Amino acid sequence: MRGIVFFTVIGFFLLFACKKSGLDTEMCENLEKYLKEVQNISLFDSNYDYVIVLQDGFCNNCNGSSKLVLQQLSDLSNILVISSKRVNLNKSIKLCTDKKYLIEQYGLRSASDLFYQIDKNRIVYFSYINNLQYDKLIRKFANQ
Amino acid sequence: MKANIILLFTLIVSFFNSCMSGYKKYSEEKANYTKCHIHLSYDTLTVNLKNDSIIFSKYAYQKVSGGDYLLCINEYSNCFELFNLSTKQKIYEKGVKELSGINKDVIFSFSLVNFDSIFILSNNLIILVDTAGDIIQKIPINDQPGYKYKIAPTGNFPISFDPVKQEILLPRYCTSCGSWKNTFYNTEIELGIIPKTKFITVYPVLFSRKYINNYYGFLFKANRVMVGNYSIYTFPVDPNIYRFNRVSGKLEQLGGVSGFQKNKIISLPAHVKSKSDIKFRHLLTSPFYGEIIYDKYNKLFYRVYYAGQKLKGNDGKYHTWADKKKHLMVFNIDFKLLTEIKLPNNDFDPGICIPTKNGLLFPLTTYKNKVIYSLSFYRYHIELQK
């Protein structure tokens, strides 16, 4: 009986902790799978701290603000950007193009751009980028 | 006693409300099938662009002086471009700002009545202009401070001109209601303005009653096509077709369910209203209906039915927008369903469908590849055989 209570409490705790962290496991797995199978990149062996998936050409509501944010930054060799077409970014940013729109088949197509933060070779933060989050994003980059 | 009085009062108010609006509870009408032999063939049509490129989503088509004309905003060149589809030539182009005085981003829709009359609906103006760029009239709209109802489309609901009543017909919605609330769907969706007198008529047509107490994420749009005295409305989640006579004020509900619809369209909880990822997946997996298109040459109506699909395929990969199965529903003038034609899945986006004298055109572009170097179309020839 005590065991059941213990595991229930632990279960609720984990559920709450995951929800709090904002980590969408499915979207994290999707990115890892996509990078490995399509772009031949393993996050475990890379030095990237951030991955941004741009939804160019997919949605009519995306206003290109992610690109503007990225264009404000300089010397960011720790950022990986996925885009369906070539975009004008700082040369230090690694850009992977996805002309065949394979991000769709890996569940990464969305109504907004995607943002991932990586620490010690694992994804520690994921969010859909909306206008409210750009300021947060700029601060995040500025503080590093 | 007090509670009884309140209950009685509520019942009386709701009774009067339902009587006043003339709207009943939602019911799905079965489509009326009519046996008819149809001869179907298809080919392609290419308009010579020389070395230009084109990307367009805003367009209008019209038969003017014997030819089929397509007017569109080329987002690539930022110009209004006019094509004669009969001679397969571009005959005219003019910068969007040069022609209309406004930026392309604030234009919702436009209508080509003839070369002397192009009606443009923008965020805060209705503009009547000719192809020479001479502005004939400007009517300010959406300019009262704190306005609740906006003249703007939620779906494919273009500005139209009724030549008999000399009235401009416009879409309308409630800006402050929120598409997850019933008040949004209890707002009249069309109004008319007579340009000479500025007299406004708000027509008593609401959103489909299927939206009452149901939230469908991105599938909340109102589509309308104007045919003579009639405004014909459709809504993505509702198979019914609504025909409204603007002269008599009579609203008819006509059956239009596709024979290929196997699954119900599931609603979403209202709390996901700001979760665009959930709404996007709902859009990708739900069956839904496109807008009605009128073919005045063959006296037919068309509508595309998009089938539902699972989120992932058997290979574990996610289904894409292109994987959605699509059927072109063909109705006669009385909305009897004649046939449903399977459309190709990949590299074919039936979001733009243009009926011309020489066939039904679908641009050979997709959401994956919008920029094209030649303006090419799939062309379906649909002939009714008696």
Side-chain angles (χ1 to χ4, degrees):
Chain A
M1 186 62 188
R2 274 186 185 172
I4 295 171
V5 173
F6 175 76
F7 284 115
T8 313
V9 170
I10 290 292
F12 272 113
F13 174 75
L14 286 174
L15 194 72
F16 181 71
C18 288
K19 215 174 167 179
K20 246 330 209 194
S21 76
L23 206 57
D24 183 327
T25 341
E26 188 188 355
M27 291 303 280
C28 296
E29 283 170 6
N30 289 347
L31 178 77
E32 284 179 34
K33 208 171 166 194
Y34 167 81
L35 288 177
K36 199 176 164 188
E37 293 178 12
V38 180
Q39 303 288 358
N40 243 337
I41 294 171
S42 167
L43 284 179
F44 300 104
D45 310 322
S46 71
N47 293 319
Y48 300 117
D49 292 330
Y50 304 101
V51 179
I52 292 173
V53 182
L54 299 178
Q55 303 286 333
D56 300 89
F58 286 119
C59 73
N60 296 323
N61 296 327
C62 297
N63 53 15
S65 302
S66 299
K67 270 182 272 178
L68 292 177
V69 169
L70 289 167
Q71 279 157 359
Q72 288 177 33
L73 308 167
S74 60
D75 192 27
L76 289 160
S77 53
N78 57 347
I79 299 178
L80 171 65
V81 174
I82 315 288
S83 171
S84 60
K85 56 188 174 194
R86 286 215 67 79
V87 280
N88 242 348
L89 297 174
N90 185 296
K91 279 179 185 166
S92 61
I93 295 172
K94 167 80 175 165
L95 175 71
C96 289
T97 47
D98 179 34
K99 282 186 182 166
K100 289 185 179 172
Y101 294 82
L102 292 173
I103 64 164
E104 251 193 314
Q105 293 178 21
Y106 285 82
L108 298 174
R109 183 179 172 188
S110 167
S112 54
D113 298 332
L114 312 178
F115 175 75
Y116 294 85
Q117 189 178 353
I118 294 135
D119 186 33
K120 290 172 187 156
N121 300 328
R122 66 186 186 89
I123 297 167
V124 291
Y125 181 79
F126 161 75
S127 78
Y128 296 95
I129 308 174
N130 59 36
N131 281 335
L132 294 171
Q133 285 164 315
Y134 287 120
D135 281 348
K136 200 173 149 189
L137 202 64
I138 291 170
R139 266 183 271 126
K140 201 183 273 279
F141 283 126
N143 288 338
Q144 60 178 331
Chain B
M1 183 64 184
K2 215 174 184 180
N4 282 344
I5 291 169
I6 292 169
L7 184 68
L8 187 69
F9 180 74
T10 315
L11 283 173
I12 291 168
V13 167
S14 46
F15 172 76
F16 271 102
N17 248 346
S18 59
C19 289
M20 292 288 280
S21 64
Y23 272 84
K24 296 173 197 161
K25 260 191 159 183
Y26 175 73
S27 63
E28 194 171 294
E29 302 284 330
K30 282 189 174 171
N32 282 315
Y33 277 90
T34 287
K35 260 195 171 180
C36 178
H37 287 287
I38 284 181
H39 183 254
L40 182 71
S41 61
Y42 56 90
D43 57 7
T44 55
L45 170 82
T46 300
V47 175
N48 185 12
L49 286 182
K50 290 170 189 162
N51 293 320
D52 296 341
S53 307
I54 186 165
I55 169 167
F56 73 95
S57 55
K58 290 166 190 164
Y59 64 99
Y61 54 88
Q62 186 60 275
K63 187 185 171 188
V64 184
S65 22
D68 280 318
Y69 290 89
L70 173 70
L71 178 70
C72 53
I73 293 178
N74 185 348
E75 289 176 38
Y76 207 74
S77 65
N78 210 1
C79 285
F80 271 102
E81 297 186 357
L82 184 66
F83 299 94
N84 184 337
L85 297 174
S86 311
T87 60
K88 302 176 193 171
Q89 295 292 328
K90 178 159 81 177
I91 55 164
Y92 165 85
E93 70 176 17
K94 203 168 192 108
V96 173
K97 203 153 190 183
E98 211 184 328
L99 183 82
S100 62
I102 53 175
N103 286 324
K104 71 172 166 49
D105 301 335
V106 296
I107 295 177
F108 293 130
S109 67
F110 48 89
S111 166
L112 173 70
V113 177
N114 55 51
F115 298 137
D116 294 333
S117 312
I118 300 167
F119 289 89
I120 300 170
L121 172 61
S122 78
N123 195 31
N124 54 8
L125 282 175
I126 298 166
I127 303 165
L128 174 58
V129 67
D130 63 16
T131 46
D134 292 328
I135 291 174
I136 299 156
Q137 192 175 2
K138 275 184 183 178
I139 304 171
I141 52 167
N142 302 326
D143 55 351
Q144 300 94 347
Y147 60 88
K148 189 177 177 188
Y149 302 106
K150 186 173 181 176
I151 296 176
T154 52
N156 199 332
F157 201 134
I159 181 172
S160 303
F161 182 67
D162 176 350
V164 179
K165 273 183 91 178
Q166 291 287 303
E167 185 181 40
I168 302 170
L169 296 163
L170 301 156
R172 173 184 190 265
Y173 74 97
C174 174
T175 49
S176 57
C177 296
S179 64
W180 57 95
K181 289 181 189 160
N182 284 349
T183 45
F184 185 89
Y185 303 105
N186 283 328
T187 299
E188 292 83 358
I189 55 174
E190 183 161 29
L191 62 82
I193 296 178
I194 296 177
K196 269 189 186 168
T197 59
K198 312 266 172 61
F199 183 78
I200 294 174
T201 309
V202 178
Y203 289 105
V205 181
L206 310 175
F207 265 86
S208 159
R209 299 296 82 190
K210 198 170 179 183
Y211 289 96
I212 298 300
N213 299 326
N214 290 305
Y215 175 59
Y216 292 96
F218 289 135
L219 293 171
F220 71 92
K221 296 165 179 181
N223 303 313
R224 186 273 275 133
V225 65
M226 189 200 88
V227 182
N229 289 337
Y230 291 99
S231 285
I232 295 156
Y233 310 94
T234 53
F235 306 90
V237 299
D238 184 354
N240 294 339
I241 295 155
Y242 298 88
R243 183 166 61 183
F244 178 67
N245 186 323
R246 293 190 309 280
V247 177
S248 70
K250 191 183 169 195
L251 179 70
E252 295 166 272
Q253 179 176 304
L254 307 153
V257 66
S258 166
F260 293 93
Q261 187 181 345
K262 304 292 176 220
N263 307 319
K264 275 191 172 179
I265 305 171
I266 309 289
S267 62
L268 288 165
H271 67 78
V272 303
K273 61 183 187 287
S274 41
K275 301 208 165 174
S276 57
D277 51 315
I278 294 175
K279 292 193 287 183
F280 184 76
R281 285 194 174 179
H282 176 258
L283 177 70
L284 191 70
T285 53
S286 281
F288 68 90
Y289 292 86
E291 68 266 19
I292 285 284
I293 291 133
Y294 178 57
D295 177 349
K296 63 182 168 190
Y297 306 103
N298 293 303
K299 302 267 186 292
L300 293 173
F301 288 100
Y302 308 108
R303 179 165 68 163
V304 177
Y305 167 68
Y306 298 78
Q309 62 182 0
K310 287 182 180 165
L311 187 63
K312 290 181 184 179
N314 293 334
D315 58 356
K317 296 263 165 65
Y318 286 77
H319 277 136
T320 67
W321 189 253
D323 293 330
K324 246 178 161 19
K325 290 188 170 58
K326 302 152 196 99
H327 285 88
L328 182 72
M329 303 175 77
V330 183
F331 298 90
N332 70 8
I333 198 79
D334 302 316
F335 283 100
K336 301 253 166 51
L337 183 56
L338 305 178
T339 188
E340 295 190 65
I341 301 162
K342 191 177 187 308
L343 296 172
N345 264 14
N346 292 309
D347 300 322
F348 187 87
D349 186 3
I352 295 175
C353 172
I354 303 165
T356 69
K357 196 178 178 185
N358 299 310
L360 187 63
L361 308 180
F362 295 98
L364 273 169
T365 54
T366 67
Y367 65 97
K368 290 182 181 179
N369 182 21
K370 283 183 178 171
V371 181
I372 47 174
Y373 302 98
S374 62
L375 188 58
S376 299
F377 301 90
Y378 269 115
R379 182 165 57 180
Y380 280 79
H381 301 275
I382 299 169
E383 289 169 48
L384 301 183
Q385 292 175 336
K386 288 175 186 172

